[in-house]
Amino acid sequence: MFVHGSARGLVIGLILAAGAVAPAWAQVTASIAAPLSASLRYDWRESVGERYQYRLRWYPSLALNEALSLHTLIASGDAFSSSYNTIDDDGADPIKLRRAFVRYQYRQGKLEAGVIPPYKGRVSSTGLSKDGWLTGLRAVHQFSSKDQFEIVAGELSQPDNPGALEKLDNPNYWEAEYSSAVRHGVSFELAAEHMLGDDFVRGEVRKQLTPQWLASVESINKLGDTTKWVLSAGRTYGATKVFVYYSFVPQGFGQRAELTEDFVNYGHSWVLETDTKINQQLAWFTKFEHVKNNWRVQLGVSFSL
């Protein structure tokens, strides 16, 4: 694994900063965690052919006390939107440090600083890839058990280079989001975003239809231009989760679309995903996708420690 000198400096700086401020809040009682997950998948796409791929994700973290902790992500993959490597690929198979950040957790929210995840918790269908990164700050505050506000500011850079620990020199990203649970199983999110020179307004409404069924409608409007739509539904059947959705991504929507998980193409798409737990560590998954007259099939198994 290759890590730039500036990346090493940032990580060391975060560790020193965390150690310096921790006693101000509570006694230091350090603990270390390092969960590891791995996946193998068969990936067939009509326009590309078949590929056999693997994914490794390692999450070392250091908790200094109940409030203050340091988190990292070391993962495979050569781009923001995917952390899979292709077996027997002639190109490089990178495994790099994607994130390193300090988190301060308090009773009504959290603060994060460093190279942080592009999401605060749950990842929506319109959200940026769950293995991506942002360099900057996040503040999340819960005003009540139903109302929450989030603000993020920083830089989204080098989406084709997972070794993203570079100095912050071109702030190009900010987001402000309000989310609320209303009543009768209805919740919503409203957000304004600025990303890579473009401005967006995002909205999502979710409805818990039954204890097993959850449905949602999401949209992102690129101001003065186009709108992306996603209609989705998910259900659990015992150990199996099923997720189906339709999306429309217009041409010209730009990198806001391309930086979502496993992006294939613009246009209309229909997706069916399943995930089945075999035991606490092992699961198998499937994904069937039709995008712009092109079929894609994924079959795989995942393992976690």
Side-chain angles (χ1 to χ4, degrees):
M1 181 182 68
F2 175 76
V3 180
H4 292 290
S6 58
R8 289 195 296 270
L10 176 57
V11 173
I12 293 171
L14 290 173
I15 294 173
L16 293 176
V21 299
W25 285 305
Q27 181 180 358
V28 176
T29 55
S31 62
I32 297 175
L36 173 70
S37 67
S39 300
L40 291 171
R41 77 178 181 186
Y42 167 80
D43 183 9
W44 174 82
R45 203 185 311 180
E46 196 170 356
S47 59
V48 177
E50 62 182 23
R51 300 178 297 177
Y52 295 89
Q53 299 182 310
Y54 69 91
R55 178 172 68 186
L56 298 173
R57 291 186 291 189
W58 189 33
Y59 300 88
S61 64
L62 172 65
L64 297 174
N65 51 53
E66 291 185 357
L68 198 64
S69 54
L70 174 67
H71 301 263
T72 62
L73 168 61
I74 299 169
S76 54
D78 61 359
F80 186 104
S81 59
S82 177
S83 51
Y84 276 94
N85 288 337
T86 300
I87 299 173
D88 295 329
D89 188 356
D90 293 335
D93 290 333
I95 296 178
K96 293 189 177 182
L97 182 63
R98 289 187 170 215
R99 297 182 201 144
F101 63 96
V102 170
R103 173 183 292 158
Y104 172 59
Q105 194 96 26
Y106 62 101
R107 188 171 59 88
Q108 291 178 284
K110 64 182 178 181
L111 303 172
E112 295 174 342
V115 184
I116 61 179
Y119 58 91
K120 65 179 180 295
R122 173 185 170 277
V123 183
S124 69
S125 304
T126 54
L128 298 176
S129 172
K130 62 180 178 290
D131 292 323
W133 59 87
L134 298 170
T135 303
L137 305 169
R138 167 180 288 111
V140 181
H141 185 79
Q142 284 190 307
F143 295 98
S144 69
S145 60
K146 296 181 178 181
D147 299 288
Q148 183 172 270
F149 182 74
E150 174 192 13
I151 187 165
V152 184
E155 179 179 2
L156 194 165
S157 64
Q158 302 190 59
D160 295 323
N161 175 22
L165 295 181
E166 300 290 344
K167 64 180 181 179
L168 180 65
D169 59 5
N170 181 31
N172 60 4
Y173 182 95
W174 66 261
E175 176 187 7
E177 177 188 281
Y178 172 70
S179 56
S180 179
V182 188
R183 60 172 65 183
H184 305 305
V186 177
S187 59
F188 70 87
E189 293 181 0
L190 293 173
E193 302 174 346
H194 175 80
M195 183 187 307
L196 302 172
D198 294 317
D199 296 304
F200 302 88
V201 176
R202 176 170 56 85
E204 177 182 1
V205 177
R206 296 185 295 272
K207 168 66 175 175
Q208 192 75 49
L209 301 174
T210 70
Q212 294 79 30
W213 275 105
L214 176 66
S216 70
V217 178
E218 306 169 55
S219 73
I220 306 178
N221 176 253
K222 183 179 179 182
L223 293 184
D225 201 338
T226 57
T227 301
K228 174 181 178 179
W229 290 93
V230 179
L231 308 176
S232 65
R235 167 168 187 143
T236 56
Y237 294 91
T240 299
K241 295 180 180 179
V242 179
F243 183 59
V244 294
Y245 68 89
Y246 158 80
S247 71
F248 172 67
V249 186
Q251 288 284 351
F253 202 73
Q255 282 189 292
R256 181 64 178 78
E258 296 171 10
L259 297 180
T260 55
E261 190 76 14
D262 266 347
F263 177 78
V264 176
N265 206 342
Y266 295 94
H268 300 275
S269 65
W270 304 84
V271 180
L272 168 64
E273 297 182 26
T274 69
D275 187 284
T276 302
K277 272 191 171 295
I278 299 172
N279 53 44
Q280 288 296 325
Q281 288 78 37
L282 195 63
W284 64 270
F285 59 89
T286 66
K287 185 175 182 179
F288 303 92
E289 188 171 6
H290 186 262
V291 184
K292 205 173 183 179
N293 300 319
N294 200 297
W295 283 98
R296 184 181 188 184
V297 176
Q298 299 175 44
L299 308 171
V301 61
S302 61
F303 180 80
S304 61
L305 289 175

